Amino acid sequence: MGRKILFITTDQQRYDTIGVNGGILSRTPVLDTLAREGIRYERCQPTSVVCMPSRASMLTGQYPSMHGAWMNGVPLAVTAPSVAENLHDAGYATALIGKAHFEPFMDPFGRYAENAMANLGVATIEQDWYDGRRGVHRGFDYMELATHGPSGQLHYSKWLRDHHPEAVQYFYPVLDKEFNVNAAGGGETGAPQLGYNKVPRGWYHTDWVAERTIEWLNRQGVDQDWFCWMSFPDPHHPWDPPKSEVGRVAWRDVPLPANYPEKADQREALIDVKARHWRAWYDGTLVSNFEAPAKWVPATLTADQVREVNALNAVEVELIDEAIGRVLKAVDAKGWGDDVDVIFTTDHGEFQGDFGFLFKGPYHVDALMRLPLIWRPARSSATAPSVVSAPVSLVSLAATFLEVAGQTQPHWVEGAALPVSDLDAEERSFSSTITEWDSSIFGVDVHVRSVLTREYLYTEYGRGTLHEGTEGELYDLGDDPLQRVNRFGEAHYAQAQAQLHEQLVEHERRPGERAVPGLLMSPV
Amino acid sequence: MASLRHEVRIAAAADVVWDIIKDPTEIPEWFPGVESCTVDGSTRVLKTKNGMEIPEKILAVDPILRRFAYRITAPLYTFHLGTIDVIALGENDTLCVYSTTAEPDALALIIAGATAEALAEIKHHAEGSK
């Protein structure tokens, strides 16, 4: 019997939303305990700040420029490498319960397996694998899927429509009538993508994901090794947790983020030192990406809206923490308590008011790029608790799962297994991480590459609709942890900038078998 | 309004490619996710894999220009125009262009995404039947 793996992800969650990371709005005792018993990472970065490319990196252990799902709406090839296939081969039962999003949600022709399985009433389907064999979809022998509400064709949507059809109307509609991300205001402040949801807590997707996970775990034999990816759709917008829970955080008492100066001219001064697309979005002259509401102008965001969004976000984080607690209790009840590795993270962050923004896009700052990552190794491994301050990346997850399972690393994995301490990180040269962005939609293309070191966050903008290929941002994390002062092009930083540039060049030149970039099939 | 285009170069005669496209009842053979269709005069209704019905109006099937034009008439669309052009570049060398202009923009993108895969199927069929 080997070590089992409970991989827990959320969607669009900031580093500082968890108590142990300094968060003050949410009570997260379960995650805090896991962090204290295990390894807490202070500088975990995504490979991309949107869902599909980032999630594909978790599964493949590759950067988007390698796995080919380069922006939201581009499906990960069915034959892309998958760590779940390797674990399945190693005898692991493999499940993904909750949000997958390797394939587009908007799928009227029913072309994608994720969208077809609920209607077909099956837990997986047979597909081609990376190595030419046929097997269960992406290596998962059980998939039960959900997204941020009752829309679409996934299992949660179908379950809600079949069992509680009256509740469908309670959720905030993520998309408007033109199928754009909805800008309609809700709650008490009129913030976009915010609503008070009358759905009973037990029918909400957070609890549904936990309950379906517990049911799957309970079906496994005690001696069965398993890899279970429990993937919560929250705290991604819409911020519409069950109304019964909203009173947990009084929004009027929520302090404003450090990076949200209340005076507009101060916010604008911070934005104006950054690359030009920041101000264009802020003023509403250009929304470069589908993930933000097309009809929402960030300059209209009020302090109270930031407070209310962050309050409801905090409620959603608390519900997730409690749901994880119930799942861990079920794990203990099966007698697996000492043999389960628990890894918790998210796919990318969320502005939550920083610099006057909500949502996400090609903006590589901590709000979107500094992620919570906690690894509580199986107690039987006797791994010492620690805090890792070295930069690490989600690209390391696949290798970490394989190492936990005692498997050899396949040639296609780009990231090395996560370090278990700063000493380990130093010995294995964990000194920087790369984050990529490429998008091309409705005549606007944006290309961004960033490198994070212990000292700097450095971003270059490639030639595109808004950029000449000469713009960039350089933040000195030592004296500017909030990333407010752009040092790009300053003589004093010329040497550092040249070295960071070289790291980006090396990333582009790295060896490996790059997948043909996928086609954009849908906005998301 | 969004206007998108995909194209593919096919190693087959233009007439071979056009033969695949010209019959509106044959779309399930090459459009991914279309399970079946009914055609009544200029009205075509597609049934997709997930059970959706998509009504269309066929605007032109021009064998001289080798051009197929149609509109999706489902109320979700405030406008849609799809065109498929088959252009002979040589004896066994054809360019096939599938254009989508539609509103809302997001739906244009979804249809256009599917047309890219449709072109791959058309190419597969045409090159297989040489």
Side-chain angles (χ1 to χ4, degrees), chain A residues 7 55-62 67 76-90 94-96 100 102-103 114 124 127-133 135-141 143 227 229 397-399 401-402 407-414:
Chain A
F7 177 41
R55 288 162 182 270
S57 287
M58 296 179 193
L59 190 70
T60 63
Q62 298 181 336
H67 61 57
L76 179 68
V78 165
T79 52
S82 165
V83 66
E85 291 174 4
N86 290 53
L87 293 170
H88 189 273
D89 271 348
T94 48
L96 198 169
F102 308 122
E103 296 155 21
E114 287 178 15
T124 190
Q127 299 266 35
D128 289 338
W129 275 16
Y130 174 74
D131 61 7
R133 289 178 295 156
V136 290
H137 185 54
R138 301 193 189 280
F140 291 103
D141 48 42
M143 298 181 93
F227 169 71
W229 184 342
L397 289 172
F401 301 146
L402 292 168
Q407 301 299 302
T408 54
Q409 300 294 337
H411 67 91
W412 41 261
V413 166
E414 290 202 270

Side-chain angles (χ1 to χ4, degrees), chain A residues 75 106-112 115 119 153 177-180 290 441-442 519-524, chain B residues 2 6 31-34 46 48-50 52 54 76 104-107 109-111 113-114 116-117:
Chain A
M106 291 185 181
D107 182 19
F109 296 101
R111 288 174 296 157
Y112 299 109
N115 299 314
N119 281 330
Q153 306 161 62
K177 286 178 180 164
E178 295 176 351
F179 295 87
N180 286 312
F290 182 81
I441 187 167
F442 303 135
L519 286 171
L520 181 62
M521 293 295 178
S522 165
V524 69
Chain B
H6 290 285
F31 202 103
V34 174
L46 310 180
T48 71
K49 252 187 192 174
N50 62 10
M52 265 184 78
I54 302 178
L76 285 177
D105 295 3
L107 294 185
L109 192 58
I110 293 164
I111 295 295
E117 290 185 351

Side-chain angles (χ1 to χ4, degrees), chain B residues 18 61-67 86:
Chain B
W18 177 245
V61 185
D62 186 330
I64 310 297
L65 284 175
R66 297 192 194 96
R67 181 174 172 86
V86 177

Side-chain angles (χ1 to χ4, degrees), chain A residues 153-462:
Chain A
Q153 306 161 62
L154 304 177
H155 297 82
Y156 174 69
S157 316
K158 183 169 165 43
W159 173 82
L160 196 71
R161 283 197 301 267
D162 289 350
H163 293 89
H164 309 291
E166 72 280 13
V168 169
Q169 62 181 315
Y170 299 157
F171 287 77
Y172 178 96
V174 179
L175 301 179
D176 64 18
K177 286 178 180 164
E178 295 176 351
F179 295 87
N180 286 312
V181 176
N182 201 342
E188 295 182 34
T189 63
Q193 291 278 323
L194 189 144
Y196 290 177
N197 190 340
K198 288 198 298 180
V199 71
R201 178 177 174 178
W203 303 352
Y204 191 63
H205 41 74
T206 296
D207 281 19
W208 183 86
V209 168
E211 293 311 313
R212 301 313 299 156
T213 301
I214 290 168
E215 198 167 311
W216 183 82
L217 289 169
N218 283 338
R219 287 203 298 272
Q220 306 310 306
V222 171
D223 294 333
Q224 173 68 51
D225 290 335
W226 49 261
F227 169 71
C228 181
W229 184 342
M230 176 169 66
S231 180
F232 295 102
D234 266 355
H236 188 290
H237 60 274
W239 298 286
D240 65 343
K243 194 175 177 182
S244 59
E245 311 303 314
V246 166
R248 290 165 179 248
V249 182
W251 70 260
R252 288 182 178 81
D253 299 335
V254 171
L256 289 169
N259 248 346
Y260 180 84
E262 206 161 346
K263 290 185 175 169
D265 59 343
Q266 291 177 353
R267 288 199 299 278
E268 289 159 12
L270 295 178
I271 294 165
D272 286 342
V273 301
K274 301 181 185 302
R276 72 184 79 170
H277 67 299
W278 285 79
R279 184 64 194 247
W281 182 31
Y282 179 82
D283 289 334
T285 57
L286 189 125
V287 184
S288 68
N289 54 300
F290 182 81
E291 290 80 13
K295 292 179 181 165
W296 177 67
V297 178
T300 64
L301 183 67
T302 68
D304 277 352
Q305 288 176 341
V306 173
R307 289 188 178 95
E308 194 175 21
V309 164
N310 288 350
L312 294 199
N313 185 291
V315 170
E316 294 182 351
V317 170
E318 283 198 6
L319 295 182
I320 290 168
D321 193 77
E322 291 166 11
I324 294 169
R326 291 199 297 280
V327 172
L328 293 179
K329 204 172 272 184
V331 166
D332 283 342
K334 289 278 284 193
W336 292 324
D338 290 340
D339 297 316
V340 176
D341 284 66
V342 182
I343 300 181
F344 171 88
T345 191
T346 189
D347 52 358
H348 56 80
E350 154 67 49
F351 268 117
Q352 284 193 234
D354 274 13
F355 302 105
F357 296 99
L358 298 173
F359 312 109
K360 60 197 183 257
Y363 310 94
H364 284 180
V365 290
D366 273 2
L368 305 189
M369 296 221 300
R370 190 179 186 188
L371 309 183
L373 173 62
I374 295 164
W375 175 15
R376 204 290 311 278
R379 295 186 187 104
S380 58
S381 73
T383 307
S386 73
V387 176
V388 173
S389 60
V392 300
S393 167
L394 296 183
V395 79
S396 286
L397 289 172
T400 306
F401 301 146
L402 292 168
E403 187 174 275
V404 166
Q407 301 299 302
T408 54
Q409 300 294 337
H411 67 91
W412 41 261
V413 166
E414 290 202 270
L418 288 166
V420 295
S421 65
D422 262 341
L423 181 61
D424 185 24
E426 192 178 334
E427 288 174 353
R428 295 199 286 132
S429 303
F430 280 81
S431 57
S432 64
T433 64
I434 302 284
T435 301
E436 305 176 347
W437 173 286
D438 291 289
S439 61
S440 181
I441 187 167
F442 303 135
V444 178
D445 67 328
V446 183
H447 307 283
V448 190
R449 294 289 183 273
S450 294
V451 56
L452 176 100
T453 66
R454 282 179 179 273
E455 296 82 21
Y456 299 109
L457 171 58
Y458 176 68
T459 295
E460 289 184 358
Y461 294 91

